[in-house]
Amino acid sequence: MNAANEENTNGRIPGEMPLIPYDLTGREELAETLLRNMLLTRKFEESLQYYFSLGMIHGTMHLCIGEEAAYSGTCAALTKDDDMFATHRGHGAAISKGIDIKGMMAEIFGRATGVCKGHGGSMHIADKDVGVLGANGIVGPALALACGAAFAHKTRGENCVALAFFGDGATNEGIFHESMNLASIWNLPVLFICTNNTYGMSTHISRVMKDTDITHRAIPYAMKSFRVNGNDALAVYETVKKAREIALAGPEPVLVVEDTYRISGHSKSDGNLYRSKEEINAWKKRDPIRYLEQVMLADGSFTQEDLDRIDRETTETIEEAVRFAIDSPYPKLEDVYEDVYAE
Ligand SMILES: Cc1ncc(C[n+]2csc(CCOP(=O)(O)OP(=O)(O)O)c2C)c(N)n1
Ligand SMILES: [Mg+2]
């Protein structure tokens, strides 16, 4: 099943994204939320880049610049009670699921006021109060963890789903197939969301898969699947909303493949030697934030002044979060074993 604005973007140099005329009447709040979360994610990560370059953030991190619509559109289709599991590239997912931005910024700065008391960092962001059940530095576990959460929802008779984000690379892992099989045979209300940015580190999808249409991987598990333009936040939202309804009604799992592109490098140590400037520039023209802004202006529901206000407000939120993080204390040395579980 293909949603609006679908095209095959596995080719390395994509075409331009045609502007789809959306009627936003009565859906202004949705459009603003989608845009706001994308802007917050972009500005959050640009700040991280800056403070990392100053040596004020340690370790590494994986940015999702260019992929914001996939996270924003997907999470807008969820309720607060739905559970979400993110990947190593999880900032946009956590922000879009409603995590406290100050607490997440402080976490990545390693401060005691962080959502995980500064013990987790970029790849271990979690806050179960808003259904952010954890990012993960290992490729693939989100799928299996989401099966567990969905099993709990089903057993307790709760009206919610569990969702796992994962990349195209993860679909070649055993855990992808084991989780798809388990969810299918146990009829679990779980959404498997593949952010297909066509690369696993420096490896293009076509070098590791004969059939690069990842929706075909739902077929052996008798699972419904959708493929959508992951740079169009509204199309993503509509697709995931539909998938969520199917998952709850079954209950049954659904696979959604969101075609997108990572403008940023894989992690902080990426020389971009595996792809051309031409390819990156072609994708920059498909920027999901600029695209939604154009849709909002074209529909007439929003003026340039409205967009400027949203832009300004999101900048202020991020600046405030950075000030909060920098002013916060580091965790105490004697607390190093707190929240550590080992037998
Ligand atoms: C089990 C496992 N294998 C390998 C790695 C190293 N690794 C980290 S990210 C990554 C690429 C993952 O690609 P994809 O799933 O497409 O996600 P993307 O980084 O593109 O968002 C790899 C191989 C890992 N962290 N865990
Ligand atoms: Mg990938």
XYZ file of all heavy atoms in Angstrom, residues 167-169 195-201, ligand 2:
71
model
N 16.297 1.555 11.403
C 16.758 1.990 10.084
C 16.690 0.872 9.051
O 16.388 -0.278 9.378
N 16.985 1.220 7.801
C 17.027 0.228 6.725
C 18.077 -0.843 7.034
O 17.868 -2.034 6.780
C 17.347 0.914 5.382
C 18.494 1.908 5.511
O 18.306 2.933 6.201
O 19.576 1.652 4.950
N 19.209 -0.416 7.627
C 20.270 -1.373 7.943
C 19.792 -2.438 8.909
O 20.152 -3.617 8.793
N 12.807 3.980 9.215
C 13.265 5.236 8.612
C 14.347 4.855 7.596
O 15.499 4.652 7.942
C 13.815 6.193 9.686
O 14.723 5.469 10.519
C 12.708 6.765 10.544
N 13.905 4.755 6.358
C 14.798 4.272 5.296
C 15.579 5.445 4.696
O 15.120 6.118 3.782
C 13.935 3.593 4.213
C 14.766 3.151 3.025
O 15.992 3.033 3.116
N 14.105 2.931 1.905
N 16.778 5.654 5.273
C 17.614 6.752 4.746
C 18.629 6.218 3.719
O 19.556 6.920 3.334
C 18.299 7.516 5.882
C 19.208 6.634 6.723
O 19.598 5.541 6.311
N 19.558 7.102 7.906
N 18.449 5.026 3.294
C 19.205 4.311 2.247
C 20.679 4.020 2.597
O 21.412 3.496 1.763
C 19.145 4.995 0.853
O 19.923 6.179 0.880
C 17.725 5.286 0.414
N 21.097 4.352 3.819
C 22.465 4.011 4.224
C 22.489 3.356 5.601
O 21.759 3.785 6.505
C 23.356 5.263 4.300
C 23.760 5.797 2.949
C 23.054 6.840 2.366
C 24.831 5.249 2.253
C 23.411 7.324 1.113
C 25.198 5.728 1.006
C 24.484 6.760 0.442
O 24.839 7.235 -0.785
N 23.316 2.353 5.762
C 23.704 1.844 7.068
C 25.173 2.227 7.189
O 26.015 1.675 6.477
N 25.473 3.202 7.988
C 26.800 3.838 8.048
C 27.186 4.291 6.642
O 26.500 5.128 6.063
C 27.825 2.899 8.689
C 27.433 2.575 10.136
S 28.571 1.554 11.040
C 29.689 2.739 11.682
Mg 19.909 3.760 7.433
